[in-house]
Amino acid sequence: MFMKASDILLTGATGFLGTSLRQELKLDGFNLVCPGADDGHSRIDFTLPFDLKLKSSIDIVVHAAGKAHAVPMTDIEKQEFYRVNLEGTKNLCRALEALNELPKSFIFISTVAVYGVDTGQGISEGHPLNGTTPYSDSKIEAEKWLRQWATENDLTLGILRLPLIAGFRPPGNLGAMIKGIKSGKYLSIGRANSRKSMVWAKDIAQIIPVLSKKGGTYNLTDGIHPTFGELEEAIALSLNKQKPIKVPFWFAKGLAIIGDLFGSEFPINSDKLRKITSTLTFDDSKARNELGWNPTSVLSRISELI
């Protein structure tokens, strides 16, 4: 681990994951520079060229800023993923090049969406990068560009491909599940036995120091890959609510067909139903073997999500 106190530049520090990284890294004794957060720095628009005005050198960059959790409906909205996730990464690197001294390492927060799969078990880092959505493709292109940039500038590059991230008041599908169970408007579909990889947000900060020295590309999960039924039961228990009402798959399929006709405003469609009822897990054995990754079970922390 780097021993100096002033070490890390963290982007996206006001986002869901960034907030957790900022809190945990500070607890671990690192001094952070967090553009746009609570450190007196002005907010940075990563889609435009910018300068970094730093009072001291930086050892590690953790690039957690990015665009996610949105379904683009127009070409302009699709391009926004590339402007933020790809061009924004390039702009950050060019700002780093303008400093007196480059950092020793760069850690990029990526996603398992780069694999482009909706079903499968134990998908490893060696799987082809088949992601075709603007989100996944922009992350693939950013990973490729960073590898060349890091090689040219002799930096250690670490890439973390993350699945569903769990933490306090999570966004996305997990947040929607909590909200639905809390309001009594959530339906459990079929056997609810499909498994999904997840990772506890606070654990991710613990891997930063060793990854910054070693580099490489790694999946991170909690290793449990809970079923929908396990998540539903744990969330309901934490909220002191009854278990969600179960509906047969054929009933949910009928609702999904209706959703296909009504569009995004309807709570379910055929695509969502297929993802909900399909197992999708990722292999994190590389991180366990090479980085000493020893994660927390998300199910054991469900009460901290609410």
Side-chain angles (χ1 to χ4, degrees), residues 20-40:
S20 177
L21 291 176
R22 185 176 79 230
Q23 293 171 347
E24 294 302 306
L25 289 170
K26 282 185 176 180
L27 287 175
D28 287 343
F30 289 99
N31 283 343
L32 303 183
V33 176
C34 304
D38 57 358
D39 58 358

Side-chain angles (χ1 to χ4, degrees), residues 55-184:
K55 296 179 180 179
S56 61
S57 63
I58 294 295
D59 287 314
I60 309 169
V61 174
V62 180
H63 186 31
K67 183 174 177 61
H69 303 300
V71 179
M73 305 303 293
T74 66
D75 286 340
I76 292 176
E77 291 175 350
K78 291 176 182 178
Q79 286 304 311
E80 187 67 11
F81 282 92
Y82 294 92
R83 291 182 66 236
V84 175
N85 295 339
L86 176 57
E87 297 305 321
T89 298
K90 293 180 181 180
N91 288 334
L92 171 60
C93 291
R94 287 165 183 148
L96 293 170
E97 290 174 359
L99 299 176
N100 292 331
E101 183 181 358
L102 280 170
K104 296 178 178 66
S105 61
F106 189 107
I107 295 174
F108 181 59
I109 303 299
S110 190
T111 170
V112 293
V114 297
Y115 300 119
V117 292
D118 291 331
T119 64
Q121 298 184 54
I123 295 166
S124 72
E125 295 85 350
H127 191 282
L129 305 186
N130 294 329
T132 58
T133 66
Y135 172 55
S136 60
D137 188 52
S138 64
K139 288 288 192 176
I140 291 171
E141 292 302 314
E143 286 190 14
K144 290 179 181 177
W145 189 90
L146 279 170
R147 286 194 180 91
Q148 181 175 346
W149 179 79
T151 298
E152 292 173 352
N153 290 281
D154 195 26
L155 270 76
T156 300
L157 175 65
I159 296 174
L160 293 177
R161 293 176 179 162
L162 305 181
L164 185 65
I165 303 171
F168 180 60
R169 294 181 180 175
N173 293 332
L174 185 56
M177 178 185 287
I178 293 170
K179 183 178 179 181
I181 293 174
K182 187 174 184 179
S183 65

Side-chain angles (χ1 to χ4, degrees), residues 217-279:
T217 301
Y218 299 89
N219 297 335
L220 297 184
T221 81
D222 77 342
I224 304 298
H225 319 294
T227 67
F228 266 80
E230 290 170 336
L231 285 170
E232 292 162 0
E233 184 174 350
I235 291 169
L237 182 63
S238 292
L239 291 169
N240 198 26
K241 296 286 186 178
Q242 295 291 326
K243 293 181 182 179
I245 297 172
K246 284 190 170 292
V247 297
F249 178 80
W250 62 262
F251 181 81
K253 188 173 183 180
L255 289 177
I257 293 172
I258 296 173
D260 293 339
L261 299 174
F262 279 85
S264 60
E265 296 302 316
F266 205 74
I268 193 169
N269 56 38
S270 294
D271 184 56
K272 288 182 180 178
L273 178 63
R274 177 174 52 82
K275 291 178 180 178
I276 289 171
T277 55
S278 299
T279 286

